[in-house]
Amino acid sequence: MKICIIGQGYIGLPTAALFTKNHCEVVGVDVNKEVVETLNQGKIHIEEPGIGEIIKKAVEKGVYSASTTPAKADAFIITVPTPYVAENYTCDLSYVISACESILPYLEKGNTVIVESTIAPMSMDDYVKPIFEKAGYTIGKDLYLAHCPERVLPGKIMYELVHNDRIVGGITPECSIKASEVYGQFVEGALMKTEAKTAELSKCMENTFRDVNIALANELAKICTKIGVNALDVIEMANKHPRVNIHSPGPGVGGHCLAIDPYFIYSKAPEYAKIIKLARDTNNSMPEFVYENVKKITQNGKIAVLGVAYKGNTGDDRESPAYEIIAKLKKDNYEINVWDPHVANEEYVDLNKATKDASLVLILCDHNEFKDLDYDLIKENMKKAIIFDTKNIIKDVPEGIELYNYGNLYSLN
């Protein structure tokens, strides 16, 4: 089977790698010429375990190539971004529509077209399907169209693409069957066939469920700070109940999924989606909450920011709340030095340079490197060693270091 995948990012590239590993020929399409050149050299541009060696071998064997333009194939998979329009919270389908239009010259009867990008409910029926119908295709008879959303965890993408159950939402039942045959090349989880709009809403609700539960934890942290209770103790004890699982509070919600997808549902029925919108507002308020507490800890000076990725042990910084926190601090004339061993930026420094003469170490991401810091170095570099851990990953610090987290922020009031 020959596969053409539009978009070679965090989802498109791992998907391409797995198809090549399972006896398929893949053309990976990306608008970024530098990315295309890098991939054709057998090198990858994202941090995700298990991909690099597969792509290297696939390029050497001639079963993978990258291009800025599509090519004829048996199946086309679209994995481009779908940002939201802030003014009305709707899903921006421009990249998806452009990708669909780009493959029209390469389509043949009998092909399968799959949209993996997360999209708002009814997008396939209302916007995607008409593109191919206008081109003369009858969906379900001579072209098979489906929405099959990704549902993977960064850092474990290669494993979860294979083992997780997959939602296959066809425009028609025949479309679901054909799309299932494509994923059957490597997916070992169940292939759950349904209609496109059900698949669209299921994906959005998966991320909304998590966003709402994180908001509950963040709201609890704020309440505890106000009334003088250790939020971390409350969560630990409440979670001893067999049917309770309160999440961990943090500096906000980032990523291309949780921070965006709930809006796609809200925009369709704002009169009903009250909890969804309130959860988004709560999580969006956390950078301000962190900023206000930083000001209580230290009124000025240098701050060593540890981590700008939205998720630990990855280089993915999309929609990261860390950037909003940093912007607020800079606006208030704090000097910021960033250490993030997973995010490439020539302005970022190491722990030594970040903490030199700093008045605060601010942890905004749960990278493993931050869980066991060089405390001797921190004490040596700082006049008064203070850590504010917004991810609650440091359980104990040696004498001479002051630690704040969501368990004791109330002591600042």
Side-chain angles (χ1 to χ4, degrees), residues 200-221:
E200 291 164 336
L201 187 53
S202 295
K203 166 64 178 182
C204 289
M205 274 307 299
E206 288 173 11
N207 290 327
T208 299
F209 174 86
R210 295 184 61 215
D211 191 54
V212 168
N213 280 276
I214 292 170
L216 182 64
N218 284 333
E219 189 171 275
L220 171 63

Side-chain angles (χ1 to χ4, degrees), residues 16 56 72 140 211 269 297 388:
K56 183 175 181 292
K72 288 186 179 294
D211 191 54
I297 297 170
F388 179 14

